Amino acid sequence: MAKILIHLTHGPEAPTQADRAFLIAKTAINEGHKVSMFLAGSAVQLLRDDILDSVIGVGDGVTTLRKSYDTIISGGGDIYLSRISCGARGMSEQELSGKKVELAEPNVLVQLTVDHDRVITYG
Protein backbone atom coordinates (compact mmCIF):
# COMPACT_ATOMS: atom_id res chain seq x y z
CA MET A 1 0.00 0.00 0.00
CA ALA A 2 0.98 3.63 -0.41
CA LYS A 3 2.40 6.14 2.05
CA ILE A 4 0.27 9.28 1.86
CA LEU A 5 1.05 12.68 3.37
CA ILE A 6 -1.80 15.14 3.86
CA HIS A 7 -0.72 18.76 4.39
CA LEU A 8 -3.45 20.98 5.80
CA THR A 9 -3.40 24.72 6.45
CA HIS A 10 -7.15 25.39 6.78
CA GLY A 11 -8.49 25.61 10.30
CA PRO A 12 -11.80 26.20 12.05
CA GLU A 13 -12.59 29.16 9.79
CA ALA A 14 -12.89 26.71 6.87
CA PRO A 15 -14.59 23.64 8.38
CA THR A 16 -15.34 21.90 5.10
CA GLN A 17 -11.72 21.96 3.90
CA ALA A 18 -10.51 20.89 7.34
CA ASP A 19 -13.05 18.08 7.52
CA ARG A 20 -12.21 16.85 4.02
CA ALA A 21 -8.53 16.50 4.85
CA PHE A 22 -9.39 14.37 7.88
CA LEU A 23 -11.95 12.41 5.84
CA ILE A 24 -9.34 11.58 3.18
CA ALA A 25 -6.85 10.55 5.88
CA LYS A 26 -9.44 8.35 7.58
CA THR A 27 -10.48 6.79 4.26
CA ALA A 28 -6.89 6.05 3.27
CA ILE A 29 -6.22 4.38 6.62
CA ASN A 30 -9.40 2.32 6.30
CA GLU A 31 -8.13 1.17 2.88
CA GLY A 32 -4.82 0.04 4.40
CA HIS A 33 -2.54 2.93 3.46
CA LYS A 34 0.03 4.51 5.78
CA VAL A 35 -1.01 8.11 6.47
CA SER A 36 0.78 11.10 7.94
CA MET A 37 -0.78 14.53 8.39
CA PHE A 38 1.11 17.80 8.76
CA LEU A 39 -1.03 20.64 10.12
CA ALA A 40 0.29 24.17 9.74
CA GLY A 41 -1.08 27.68 9.88
CA SER A 42 -4.62 27.89 11.21
CA ALA A 43 -5.01 24.09 10.95
CA VAL A 44 -3.10 23.53 14.20
CA GLN A 45 -6.11 24.94 16.06
CA LEU A 46 -8.18 21.95 14.94
CA LEU A 47 -6.55 19.92 17.73
CA ARG A 48 -8.10 22.09 20.44
CA ASP A 49 -10.68 20.00 22.30
CA ASP A 50 -13.59 22.39 21.74
CA ILE A 51 -12.86 22.50 18.01
CA LEU A 52 -12.36 18.73 17.67
CA ASP A 53 -15.80 18.31 19.22
CA SER A 54 -17.61 21.00 17.23
CA VAL A 55 -16.28 21.00 13.65
CA ILE A 56 -18.61 19.11 11.34
CA GLY A 57 -18.02 19.12 7.62
CA VAL A 58 -20.68 20.51 5.32
CA GLY A 59 -22.51 17.67 3.61
CA ASP A 60 -21.98 15.11 6.35
CA GLY A 61 -23.79 16.89 9.14
CA VAL A 62 -23.05 14.25 11.78
CA THR A 63 -19.36 13.33 12.00
CA THR A 64 -17.24 15.53 14.24
CA LEU A 65 -13.58 16.03 13.57
CA ARG A 66 -12.83 14.13 16.78
CA LYS A 67 -14.31 10.92 15.34
CA SER A 68 -12.07 11.22 12.29
CA TYR A 69 -9.07 12.07 14.48
CA ASP A 70 -9.74 9.00 16.66
CA THR A 71 -9.94 6.75 13.58
CA ILE A 72 -6.70 8.18 12.19
CA ILE A 73 -4.82 7.68 15.45
CA SER A 74 -6.24 4.21 16.17
CA GLY A 75 -5.39 3.20 12.59
CA GLY A 76 -1.72 4.07 13.04
CA GLY A 77 -1.77 7.50 11.41
CA ASP A 78 0.75 10.13 12.45
CA ILE A 79 -0.18 13.78 13.00
CA TYR A 80 2.45 16.51 13.09
CA LEU A 81 1.74 20.10 14.09
CA SER A 82 3.89 23.02 13.05
CA ARG A 83 5.62 24.21 16.22
CA ILE A 84 5.86 27.72 14.70
CA SER A 85 2.12 27.82 13.91
CA CYS A 86 1.25 26.57 17.41
CA GLY A 87 3.40 29.30 18.96
CA ALA A 88 1.84 31.99 16.78
CA ARG A 89 -1.63 30.87 17.89
CA GLY A 90 -0.87 30.49 21.59
CA MET A 91 -1.21 26.72 21.63
CA SER A 92 0.80 25.15 24.42
CA GLU A 93 2.12 21.63 24.83
CA GLN A 94 -0.20 21.36 27.84
CA GLU A 95 -3.18 22.02 25.56
CA LEU A 96 -2.04 19.11 23.40
CA SER A 97 -1.43 16.81 26.36
CA GLY A 98 -2.98 13.38 25.86
CA LYS A 99 -3.19 13.76 22.09
CA LYS A 100 -1.00 11.60 19.89
CA VAL A 101 0.59 14.44 17.94
CA GLU A 102 4.13 15.64 17.47
CA LEU A 103 5.29 19.24 17.28
CA ALA A 104 7.56 19.64 14.29
CA GLU A 105 9.81 22.13 12.56
CA PRO A 106 9.70 22.90 8.80
CA ASN A 107 12.44 20.36 8.07
CA VAL A 108 10.08 17.59 9.20
CA LEU A 109 7.56 18.61 6.53
CA VAL A 110 10.33 18.49 3.94
CA GLN A 111 11.43 15.03 5.09
CA LEU A 112 7.85 13.71 5.18
CA THR A 113 7.32 14.96 1.64
CA VAL A 114 10.42 13.12 0.45
CA ASP A 115 9.50 9.93 2.34
CA HIS A 116 5.90 9.58 1.14
CA ASP A 117 4.62 8.25 -2.19
CA ARG A 118 1.91 10.89 -2.58
CA VAL A 119 1.13 14.29 -1.08
CA ILE A 120 -2.33 15.82 -0.84
CA THR A 121 -2.47 19.50 0.09
CA TYR A 122 -5.44 21.42 1.46
CA GLY A 123 -4.27 25.01 1.61
Side-chain angles (χ1 to χ4, degrees):
M1 290 293 169
K3 289 176 64 178
I4 300 170
L5 171 62
I6 298 172
H7 182 208
L8 174 64
T9 59
H10 288 294
E13 75 288 348
T16 300
Q17 289 87 344
D19 172 72
R20 292 304 169 242
F22 277 76
L23 173 65
I24 295 301
K26 176 176 74 171
T27 301
I29 283 174
N30 288 338
E31 292 183 358
H33 300 287
K34 173 65 179 146
V35 174
S36 298
M37 296 184 78
F38 193 100
L39 280 58
S42 184
V44 300
Q45 298 178 88
L46 296 169
L47 273 288
R48 289 189 158 126
D49 284 325
D50 60 328
I51 294 172
L52 274 173
D53 293 328
S54 65
V55 169
I56 297 174
V58 175
D60 179 333
V62 294
T63 304
T64 63
L65 209 55
R66 183 172 303 274
K67 287 183 180 181
S68 294
Y69 165 82
D70 289 343
T71 299
I72 293 163
I73 295 303
S74 67
D78 297 313
I79 299 179
Y80 300 86
L81 300 180
S82 164
R83 182 182 306 276
I84 295 168
S85 297
C86 285
R89 286 156 183 83
M91 290 185 65
S92 67
E93 290 190 36
Q94 179 182 6
E95 191 170 11
L96 298 170
S97 178
K99 295 184 180 82
K100 190 177 179 224
V101 299
E102 183 177 329
L103 293 178
E105 303 297 332
N107 65 309
V108 172
L109 176 57
V110 172
Q111 191 60 53
L112 288 168
T113 301
V114 170
D115 291 344
H116 286 71
D117 301 317
R118 301 284 186 264
V119 178
I120 301 170
T121 301
Y122 287 85

